[in-house]
Amino acid sequence: MDWIQALILGIIQGLTEYLPVSSSGHLAIGAHLFGLQDSDNLMFTVLVHVATVLSTLVILWSEIDWIVRGLFKCELNAETRYFINILISMIPVGIVGVFFKDYVEQVFGSGLLIVGIMLLVTAALLTFSYYAKPRIKQEISWKDALIIGVAQACAVMPGLSRSGSTIATGLLLGNKKESLAQFSFLMVIPPILGEALLDVLKMMKGDDVFDNITTLPLVVGFLAAFISGCFACKWMISIVKRGKLIYFGIYCAIAGIATIICSMM
């Protein structure tokens, strides 16, 4: 991997982690177009995911600070309930990570066909959430947090957008647009960091971690993912508030069909 490829893939990761178009799917497509194998970009993938987590911390720092301050009050206030909901939302993806990690890794290596199919599923979810008119709830309940967490767990499939799945599910449950994007982005921080830690431990078992990539592409990719992630996170919150997810549904449908066709050529 050279620095130009790293720059492009870093920007793709930063943008698509928050936009409902699947970062894993687009990274898989990008790696395929560049002719990169899993052994070439595992360290790179870990770094760009950590970069997007840092961009979330930057953009949503006021919300994180609000939660932390509330927790230190040691009472069951709004901040504590919000934090509990985040913990509940992590349960499904934790189960998938512990018991089905090998299966998920096998799916990731199964080619572009599954990516194309999951992009079509993402398009369907975004379309349904756009046209559905459920009764609006005042706040996200623990039951809704669990269901949104299930959506996040399903989004480990390459091509199924995590942000698209969680936000669309929340909208279908009747949660307010203003709070969904923020909750969706905060709930993913612990799983991404946990997955990155597991990947680092996996890489430490091998002696050829850095054989296929130099320092410059890693630095370029990290910075590209962080900067583009900050932009995309802020932009996505605004998009959800305006309810314009249907346009991303159209994009995912087109991208999904194109990817399926390419996988059959």
Side-chain angles (χ1 to χ4, degrees), residues 2-192:
D2 58 38
W3 73 269
I4 296 178
Q5 293 173 334
L7 175 64
I8 295 172
L9 291 177
I11 293 174
I12 290 174
Q13 164 61 27
L15 291 177
T16 57
E17 180 65 40
Y18 300 103
L19 302 182
V21 295
S22 176
S23 62
S24 61
H26 280 72
L27 279 180
I29 294 171
H32 176 79
L33 294 176
F34 289 142
L36 301 174
Q37 304 298 321
D38 290 342
S39 58
D40 296 326
N41 62 3
L42 180 56
M43 172 60 78
F44 178 83
T45 301
V46 171
L47 281 180
V48 294
H49 275 87
V50 172
T52 52
V53 168
L54 292 178
S55 67
T56 305
L57 296 178
V58 170
I59 299 301
L60 297 179
W61 179 251
S62 60
E63 287 76 12
I64 296 172
D65 181 64
W66 170 73
I67 294 172
V68 173
R69 289 177 181 272
L71 290 176
F72 276 107
K73 294 178 181 178
C74 298
E75 60 184 42
L76 189 60
N77 49 30
E79 298 94 320
T80 304
R81 288 193 293 270
Y82 195 95
F83 180 72
I84 291 174
N85 283 344
I86 290 178
L87 293 180
I88 292 174
S89 72
M90 291 164 48
I91 294 174
V93 75
I95 293 174
V96 171
V98 172
F99 296 103
F100 302 101
K101 182 175 177 59
D102 293 338
Y103 173 75
V104 171
E105 290 178 348
Q106 181 181 357
V107 171
F108 265 84
S110 60
L112 291 182
L113 179 60
I114 187 66
V115 174
I117 294 173
M118 290 299 104
L119 281 170
L120 293 181
V121 174
T122 299
L125 276 173
L126 294 174
T127 302
F128 288 149
S129 67
Y130 179 78
Y131 288 106
K133 302 296 180 183
R135 183 172 59 86
I136 301 300
K137 303 174 182 177
Q138 292 303 312
E139 60 182 24
I140 299 174
S141 67
W142 70 267
K143 292 181 180 179
D144 288 353
L146 182 60
I147 296 173
I148 294 173
V150 171
Q152 176 175 248
C154 293
V156 299
M157 298 290 289
L160 185 56
S161 169
R162 186 204 59 79
S163 63
S165 299
T166 54
I167 293 173
T169 300
L171 290 174
L172 290 171
L173 291 171
N175 290 290
K176 297 168 66 174
K177 299 175 182 177
E178 293 78 5
S179 59
L180 267 176
Q182 165 183 306
F183 183 79
S184 172
F185 297 156
L186 289 175
M187 66 185 279
V188 78
I189 293 177
I192 287 182

